[in-house]
Amino acid sequence: GTILAFLDTGIDYQNPVFRNPDGSSRILAIWDQTIQDGAPPSGFEYGTEYTQGIINQALQSENPFSVVPSRDENGHGTAIASVAAGSRIESGTVFTGAAYDADILVIKLKECKQYLKDYYLIPDGVIAYQSTDIMMALEYADTFARSFYRPVIFCIALSSSYGSHSGISPLSNYINRLANKRSRIFVVGGGDEGNSSHHYEGNLSPVNGTEEETQEEIEIRVGENERGFITEIWGKSPNIFSLSIRSPGGEEIPNTGVRVDRGIEYEFVYERTDITVSYALVEGNTGDELITVRFQNPTPGIWTLMLQSESGLTNAGFHIWLPISQFLSSETYFLSPNPNITLTLPSYAENVITVSSYSDRNNSIYVRSGRGFSRGSDIKPDIAAPAVGVSAVQRGVPGEIRIRKVTGSAAAAAITAGGVADFMQWAITDRNANYLKSSEVKNYLIRGAVRDSNLTYPNRLWGFGKLSIQGVFDSLAGL
């Protein structure tokens, strides 16, 4: 009686773990945004929708892909869906997902346009999506499920370091609006950036109480063959920041000031690097200052960002984030990083259930797990879930089950989403509670979480404790 919605790389719909014992599909529909030669969903103008009836026709065909050509070339979406909602398989290969009887809704996201990949300097072969397509996927899932009158659990295992890390962005705001609807629950992985050295935090305070400009030097180690990257500097309003940059060879970009509404491009004499610096004194969503620096073909070595405060305020705090690890070489990082506030977006959205990652083998936090809290000190993550060596289905030969071990934030989000589906069966389908929203389900999970008496909660790594659906019911029973 519940629906699990996945926004990802697609699904291996022929796999037995997504089928009923009679061979029919448990997938209600697939909206493949990448296929443009079929009928899109009603109210949408791109992609192709394959409903359950068409999927079942494909499964009965000698050539299923001639009927439903949607594939999961990457395998990520298949793995995550299997962890959260894989069928119980007891003959031959043994496997079961967290919510093995839930219905499944799949949106295969199309990759972002090439000009955006070029602008953000995303490496070849790395998958990246546009926020607009993600928002359309969310709208589709919400619209599609209305006629079923069932709870929908959105499993979002996507991540980005671009943004304010304060829960305010067009995508986060849209998610919060949907999460305020009853029976619309959002589970978001906190990302795998905890030990990436991609976050820097600083504070510029006037010297001896004077109003003189103060400066801090931030060093970024850039590796060999780095194509380029964009870094974002977020300063808390009403502080005013400005920037100069020193290359590994000693050339400097002068301080340009902040009252510029366009990007300023610089070319170095002795380096082949091009740099564009853009200032937004009042960023449109948060009202804070945002400085964006785009490095193209950066020279390997130590680059130094020299950040100045012109406001004379005593608490001129700022944060800088590099892109997520998939968008960078492993040799590009801050020399003096701060591992906190490394949850990825959209996990900072207020009404979502944000999940960090731990190993259930030794009850230790996963070394790459993102950490809280938010830039505004809001409490995130909410809960921690197992994420190391989780059994998942590998895409492969149609009709054949191959199991692999997956590790990371996506696995933790999938386990949590499946657990939430089980809880929503009790709450909504079995009529034990009505009109639950995402924030309310989050509080049920928090109350049932397993906590270590040696730790203080809420915790930057563990949130309010480890996920326990049994603990939720124990708390309801007063045990």
Side-chain angles (χ1 to χ4, degrees):
T2 62
I3 298 172
L4 274 158
F6 301 95
L7 298 67
D8 219 290
T9 62
I11 195 167
D12 178 10
Y13 68 87
Q14 299 180 56
N15 199 292
V17 299
F18 305 122
R19 300 167 72 170
N20 295 306
D22 63 2
S24 61
S25 180
R26 291 172 48 227
I27 302 171
L28 296 176
I30 301 172
W31 178 26
D32 193 323
Q33 294 183 347
T34 69
I35 299 176
Q36 308 303 332
D37 56 2
S42 176
F44 297 82
E45 297 181 353
Y46 67 102
T48 302
E49 181 184 43
Y50 303 99
T51 58
Q52 192 171 46
I54 298 173
I55 296 171
N56 283 328
Q57 289 179 27
L59 294 175
Q60 296 169 10
S61 170
E62 293 184 0
N63 182 10
F65 289 123
S66 66
V67 181
V68 176
S70 181
R71 301 171 185 258
D72 179 9
E73 296 87 354
N74 179 277
H76 187 271
T78 295
I80 298 314
S82 70
V83 172
S87 300
R88 183 189 293 274
I89 305 294
E90 297 178 327
S91 59
T93 301
V94 177
F95 183 83
T96 183
Y100 52 82
D101 279 337
D103 286 325
I104 299 169
L105 184 60
V106 176
I107 300 93
K108 179 179 179 179
L109 298 167
K110 71 178 182 68
E111 291 197 52
C112 66
K113 295 179 174 65
Q114 187 60 45
Y115 79 89
L116 289 173
K117 285 190 172 184
D118 293 339
Y119 174 76
Y120 285 99
L121 299 160
I122 295 171
D124 294 337
V126 175
I127 295 175
Y129 303 117
Q130 294 173 218
S131 294
T132 49
D133 289 323
I134 297 172
M135 293 166 75
M136 294 294 279
L138 295 171
E139 176 67 19
Y140 166 76
D142 177 59
T143 303
F144 181 91
R146 288 175 193 168
S147 62
F148 289 87
Y149 296 98
R150 299 185 199 172
V152 182
I153 298 89
F154 296 82
C155 181
I156 302 179
L158 311 172
S159 62
S160 172
S161 284
Y162 293 123
S164 68
H165 290 68
S166 62
I168 302 174
S169 71
L171 177 58
S172 295
N173 294 342
Y174 185 69
I175 289 175
N176 277 328
R177 184 169 72 83
L178 290 180
N180 273 323
K181 294 184 176 183
R182 64 190 185 193
S183 296
R184 296 293 185 266
I185 318 300
F186 284 80
V187 177
V188 182
D192 300 319
E193 293 294 303
N195 72 335
S196 65
S197 299
H198 289 173
H199 169 235
Y200 185 95
E201 181 177 4
N203 195 312
L204 295 172
S205 299
V207 179
N208 298 324
T210 68
E211 294 187 0
E212 296 180 2
E213 291 186 8
T214 56
Q215 176 174 293
E216 185 164 340
E217 296 191 354
I218 302 101
E219 294 179 319
I220 302 175
R221 198 271 192 192
V222 175
E224 298 283 347
N225 301 315
E226 182 68 71
R227 177 188 176 191
F229 57 90
I230 291 177
T231 186
E232 294 184 339
I233 304 170
W234 289 85
K236 187 67 176 176
S237 178
N239 295 290
I240 300 175
F241 298 90
S242 57
L243 180 70
S244 54
I245 302 174
R246 183 189 304 126
S247 75
E251 291 184 77
E252 288 192 10
I253 292 176
N255 189 319
T256 58
V258 299
R259 294 163 186 84
V260 179
D261 294 328
R262 58 182 176 82
I264 302 177
E265 297 183 9
Y266 299 91
E267 294 182 0
F268 289 87
V269 175
Y270 296 104
E271 324 267 353
R272 61 188 179 91
T273 306
D274 295 330
I275 289 182
T276 303
V277 181
S278 303
Y279 288 91
L281 187 59
V282 180
E283 192 270 335
N285 293 295
T286 63
D288 293 331
E289 182 179 356
L290 170 61
I291 305 174
T292 302
V293 187
R294 184 178 186 269
F295 292 83
Q296 186 169 3
N297 300 317
T299 301
I302 307 301
W303 287 82
T304 305
L305 307 181
M306 295 167 285
L307 195 65
Q308 295 91 33
S309 170
E310 301 179 1
S311 57
L313 299 177
T314 58
N315 185 17
F318 66 91
H319 297 264
I320 311 176
W321 285 277
L322 294 170
I324 59 174
S325 298
Q326 291 91 329
F327 294 173
L328 285 174
S329 76
S330 61
E331 298 302 317
T332 298
Y333 50 82
F334 290 111
L335 292 186
S336 299
N338 186 327
N340 296 321
I341 319 182
T342 50
L343 296 168
T344 51
L345 283 69
S347 67
Y348 285 104
E350 180 182 5
N351 293 328
V352 307
I353 300 166
T354 301
V355 186
S356 63
S357 309
Y358 79 95
S359 171
D360 60 324
R361 298 174 183 178
N362 57 14
N363 287 318
S364 66
I365 204 73
Y366 173 47
V367 65
R368 295 183 60 189
S369 177
R371 303 183 181 192
F373 299 127
S374 77
R375 187 166 67 94
S377 298
D378 297 317
I379 296 171
K380 290 287 181 177
D382 302 300
I383 212 82
V388 178
V390 177
S391 294
V393 167
Q394 179 179 356
R395 68 179 181 87
V397 179
E400 181 179 322
I401 302 176
R402 297 180 179 180
I403 305 300
R404 65 185 177 108
K405 300 295 185 181
V406 296
T407 294
S409 168
I415 287 176
T416 304
V420 169
D422 294 331
F423 173 74
M424 292 300 285
Q425 175 189 330
W426 172 87
I428 305 300
T429 308
D430 297 343
R431 300 182 181 277
N432 288 294
N434 292 318
Y435 313 125
L436 289 181
K437 297 187 296 186
S438 192
S439 58
E440 294 169 322
V441 174
K442 174 170 63 177
N443 286 325
Y444 276 109
L445 297 184
I446 288 172
R447 285 186 170 87
V450 175
R451 287 181 266 276
D452 187 330
S453 59
N454 296 316
L455 296 177
T456 300
Y457 298 93
N459 189 284
R460 288 182 181 271
L461 289 85
W462 297 90
F464 287 93
K466 293 184 289 187
L467 172 72
S468 173
I469 300 303
Q470 178 180 332
V472 173
F473 289 110
D474 285 348
S475 68
L476 288 168
L479 299 178

